[in-house]
Amino acid sequence: MPKQTTSSDYDTIIIGSGAGGLAAAICLSRAGQKVLVLEQHDVPGGWCHSFYLNGHRFTPGVHYVGLCGEGEATNDLYRGLGIANDLVFFRMNPDAYEHVHIGEHRFDIPANPEEFAARLGERFPKEAKRIKKYLGLIRKISEQLYSLPYFKGFWQKLTIPYKTRHFGKYGLFSLRRVINWHIKDPLVKNILNIQCGDHGVQPRKAAFILHAALMFHYFYGGYYPMGGGGALIKAMTNAIKRHDGDIWTSQGVRKILIAGEEHKKAVGVELENGEQLYAKRIISNADVGITYNQLIGREQLSQKLQKKLEKTIYSCTSLMLFLTVDMDVRQAGMDSGNIWMMPDKDQDNYYDEAMNSDLQSDAPFEGMFISCTTLKDPISFDGKHHTLEVITFIDYKCFEKYTDEDAQRSSEYIAFKDHLTKKMLGGLEKAVPGIGNHIVHQELGTPITNEYYINTTEGNVYGTEKSLKHIGPFAFKAKSEIENLYLCGASILSHGVAGASHSGVATAAEILGCHPDELKAPQDGQELRIYEAEDATNYPDWMLKKIEVKKARLASKEGTATAR
């Protein structure tokens, strides 16, 4: 149980233990601050946490990470945070880290932008030159975006308009507008835009520069952490503890304590149990809706911020099906690459239909993201059972009637979940025929699940909607209008496990008065170990032993059951 504290006990209290909050905690605690992280769930991690169903591991929010190669941004980030040595990543199928299923059409995206352009150009020769030019633009935009923080000094800043001219030219346009200028074939557009699912916004609303940065993040493939997202969180929490930081789980925050009438100042937090904890500053890793509307209250905010909150749109929410199957999914055509499935229609129209679809109908879901974690993380495979995470996006309004239920859900809600599970399985059968006959265990997560475990506004999965109105200069800031109150996470700098982590570092840099790059400069002696998910040739002995032990445990368990 937490102890009673005084105003001098903590330098910084962080609300929420997602990747952003933990990254900020690492940076501040190693700078000598006394840091406390508070998490309302019984395990840390937010979207990145892992959980087990009948002994099989699932991670709701970590499905792949990009730029993990030597010298790339995520690799440097983990080395800079001092957690790389505690992590192992598997590189997903480099020939097809994304499998695109659009109606009856199939296309595999390789972990190489030049090969991607060549492969797509060979499939669509009339579009070959335009595809190459468009992917070249994606690279230029992203490189210019990433270069902005490095322009320092008067003379360097004078060159910004020229050196970021592509970024400036396309910065205020939607993805749909820009891709329509470059690509004519509707199917090619759908293939190039398939990763819209990674920010949950259709092309006509998505900011082109954000989508370009996302595509660039995965230009050289996808990686998955051994042990799932939970291993990443364990590495981060261990780093915090090494620097004498504290992490309290099952400690929900009721409100942020504000002092002053004219000049407001954050001075602490009040827990759900009524206990008050004080600190010199507060960081909220909760989304902006939870932070400002619930933990602070709009009456404490300026009219300007209240108006911004009224206009804020949150990202879509989701259904997430967690499956354990006793099927040889490789024989069924699966590998460590993701499967993106959508109907052969205009992607904007598809998103509109998905958000307005009749969930009461028996029709299978047409659009899905399908991930087999036991193929991405071979250590987790017991030789018989595979685990899958299957996701589709929906509108939250379909679940509004269930928001006031307690943990003991109503029979109506449970029946609705069963119905939606059948719809998801119907869609999954199209990608993996016969899988319905091999289900050992199934569990469906809904927007209500997201609210209960992750505490996001309307169960959103990406923070604020990643449209032009909510990114870059229009995004919520790390430093709030209330003195000593800061924010980090998916609604601030960027979303996703890497984006949220970078956000936490940036918020810590704001507090420490330094540049974020100083906090994530790769440390000597830190190395991120990477192995191939599809090739065990170079697996070390300890890894091969883990695989054998897991298989032996299953064999022993089944042998005991047979003997009985």
Side-chain angles (χ1 to χ4, degrees):
M1 290 294 295
K3 62 180 181 179
Q4 184 66 42
T5 64
T6 66
S7 59
S8 61
D9 276 341
Y10 292 103
D11 293 302
T12 302
I13 290 176
I14 299 174
I15 303 169
S17 65
L22 295 180
I26 292 173
C27 295
L28 295 174
S29 60
R30 75 181 179 190
Q33 288 199 12
K34 186 165 179 56
V35 175
L36 170 64
V37 180
L38 297 170
E39 169 56 47
Q40 55 101 25
H41 192 16
D42 57 6
V43 294
W47 278 113
C48 298
H49 83 279
S50 292
F51 64 91
Y52 288 81
L53 296 172
N54 291 346
H56 298 283
R57 188 190 67 243
F58 298 90
T59 302
V62 180
H63 301 105
Y64 61 152
V65 183
L67 297 178
C68 288
E70 185 69 28
E72 294 176 347
T74 308
N75 188 306
D76 286 350
L77 170 67
Y78 293 150
R79 290 177 61 206
L81 290 175
I83 63 174
N85 287 349
D86 297 327
L87 296 171
V88 174
F89 275 81
F90 288 102
R91 185 169 73 140
M92 295 154 57
N93 183 1
D95 189 58
Y97 76 97
E98 306 274 45
H99 298 285
V100 182
H101 293 195
I102 298 176
E104 299 302 315
H105 303 284
R106 302 289 181 266
F107 186 84
D108 291 336
I109 300 179
N112 181 300
E114 287 75 24
E115 173 61 23
F116 182 21
R119 188 178 293 183
L120 200 54
E122 183 178 352
R123 174 82 172 270
F124 302 93
K126 292 182 179 180
E127 293 276 22
K129 289 183 179 180
R130 289 191 284 265
I131 290 167
K132 186 176 181 180
K133 182 178 180 181
Y134 181 75
L135 289 175
L137 177 63
I138 294 290
R139 182 190 292 276
K140 289 175 184 175
I141 291 285
S142 301
E143 290 175 345
Q144 290 172 15
L145 174 63
Y146 289 130
S147 72
L148 283 174
Y150 299 99
F151 289 99
K152 299 174 183 177
F154 176 76
W155 294 109
Q156 282 193 348
K157 289 181 179 179
L158 279 180
T159 67
I160 288 178
Y162 174 75
K163 291 185 176 179
T164 62
R165 58 192 183 278
H166 296 91
F167 174 80
K169 180 179 179 180
Y170 295 100
L172 295 178
F173 291 110
S174 70
L175 170 60
R176 183 181 182 89
R177 179 75 65 87
V178 178
I179 200 169
N180 281 350
W181 287 338
H182 291 81
I183 305 297
K184 306 303 179 186
D185 190 299
L187 181 56
V188 176
K189 291 178 189 178
N190 277 346
I191 293 171
L192 288 168
N193 290 343
I194 199 69
Q195 290 170 328
C196 278
D198 282 324
H199 50 68
V201 185
Q202 60 264 58
R204 78 166 184 275
K205 295 172 68 176
F208 173 68
I209 54 173
L210 179 133
H211 188 78
L214 186 143
M215 286 186 70
F216 184 79
H217 182 74
Y218 293 114
F219 254 8
Y220 296 97
Y223 300 80
Y224 190 81
M226 185 182 82
L232 180 58
I233 297 306
K234 182 178 181 180
M236 298 180 86
T237 55
N238 284 343
I240 294 166
K241 293 173 183 177
R242 284 198 299 270
H243 298 295
D244 298 320
D246 291 328
I247 303 170
W248 293 353
T249 56
S250 300
Q251 294 298 331
V253 174
R254 179 182 296 163
K255 64 181 179 179
I256 295 172
L257 302 176
I258 305 295
E261 294 295 329
E262 294 293 325
H263 185 75
K264 298 184 186 301
K265 180 178 181 180
V267 296
V269 300
E270 181 176 300
L271 302 180
E272 292 288 357
N273 63 11
E275 183 176 6
Q276 295 185 343
L277 310 174
Y278 296 90
K280 297 175 183 176
R281 65 193 61 81
I282 307 297
I283 299 175
S284 178
N285 188 205
D287 74 32
V288 292
I290 299 296
T291 301
Y292 286 126
N293 295 327
Q294 297 184 22
L295 299 182
I296 296 175
R298 290 202 180 192
E299 70 279 0
Q300 301 276 19
L301 309 176
S302 67
Q303 289 294 319
K304 181 180 179 181
L305 183 51
Q306 288 185 44
K307 289 180 180 178
K308 183 176 177 65
L309 285 164
E310 287 171 2
K311 296 178 180 178
T312 297
I313 300 172
Y314 297 92
S315 80
C316 58
T317 188
S318 66
L319 296 174
M320 189 174 298
L321 182 61
F322 304 102
L323 287 177
T324 303
V325 300
D326 59 0
M327 177 183 187
D328 185 348
V329 293
R330 280 197 182 277
Q331 192 173 26
M334 296 192 75
D335 57 30
S336 58
N338 304 314
I339 297 176
W340 290 97
M341 186 175 77
M342 67 169 286
D344 187 9
K345 61 177 64 174
D346 179 87
Q347 202 167 85
D348 279 305
N349 293 339
Y350 161 68
Y351 269 79
D352 290 342
E353 291 170 8
M355 291 300 108
N356 294 286
S357 63
D358 178 13
L359 295 186
Q360 297 293 343
S361 78
D362 293 331
F365 286 110
E366 293 184 294
M368 288 181 167
F369 172 86
I370 303 165
S371 167
C372 181
T373 52
T374 40
L375 295 180
K376 292 179 176 180
D377 176 8
I379 299 295
S380 64
F381 181 48
D382 64 9
K384 180 179 180 180
H385 300 104
H386 284 288
T387 54
L388 283 79
E389 295 162 354
V390 186
I391 305 168
T392 194
F393 294 138
I394 59 169
D395 194 307
Y396 179 78
K397 67 177 181 288
C398 303
F399 279 84
E400 286 179 335
K401 65 189 322 186
Y402 303 113
T403 55
D404 294 329
E405 295 190 1
D406 57 24
Q408 297 298 317
R409 301 301 185 189
S410 68
S411 57
E412 181 185 355
Y413 173 79
I414 293 172
F416 190 36
K417 277 184 62 174
D418 290 342
H419 170 72
L420 294 173
T421 299
K422 291 175 182 176
K423 285 171 67 72
M424 292 200 74
L425 289 173
L428 180 60
E429 281 280 348
K430 296 179 181 179
V432 191
I435 196 168
N437 298 324
H438 295 272
I439 296 174
V440 175
H441 184 83
Q442 63 189 35
E443 187 64 47
L444 184 71
T446 74
I448 306 303
T449 314
N450 298 346
E451 285 184 312
Y452 183 80
Y453 287 106
I454 313 297
N455 193 25
T456 62
T457 302
E458 297 183 346
N460 75 76
V461 294
Y462 295 126
T464 51
E465 180 184 76
K466 297 304 178 277
S467 60
L468 286 165
K469 297 179 181 178
H470 295 96
I471 68 167
F474 309 110
F476 286 88
K477 308 304 179 190
K479 186 176 182 179
S480 80
E481 66 178 23
I482 297 174
E483 185 179 351
N484 294 337
L485 175 64
Y486 298 82
L487 294 86
C488 67
S491 299
I492 310 304
L493 180 66
S494 186
H495 64 292
V497 59
S501 298
H502 283 291
S503 171
V505 174
T507 298
E510 183 87 33
I511 291 170
L512 296 173
C514 64
H515 194 279
D517 284 352
E518 296 177 45
L519 301 179
K520 54 190 178 187
Q523 298 179 19
D524 292 337
Q526 287 284 328
E527 181 182 2
L528 193 66
R529 291 165 290 172
I530 297 175
Y531 299 94
E532 299 291 334
E534 298 292 329
D535 183 3
T537 302
N538 295 318
Y539 289 3
D541 289 341
W542 63 265
M543 188 179 287
L544 295 173
K545 186 175 180 179
K546 275 181 173 287
I547 294 173
E548 291 305 315
V549 167
K550 193 167 186 70
K551 291 179 179 179
R553 284 176 180 168
L554 176 65
S556 176
K557 182 179 179 180
E558 291 188 334
T560 302
T562 301
R564 288 177 182 172

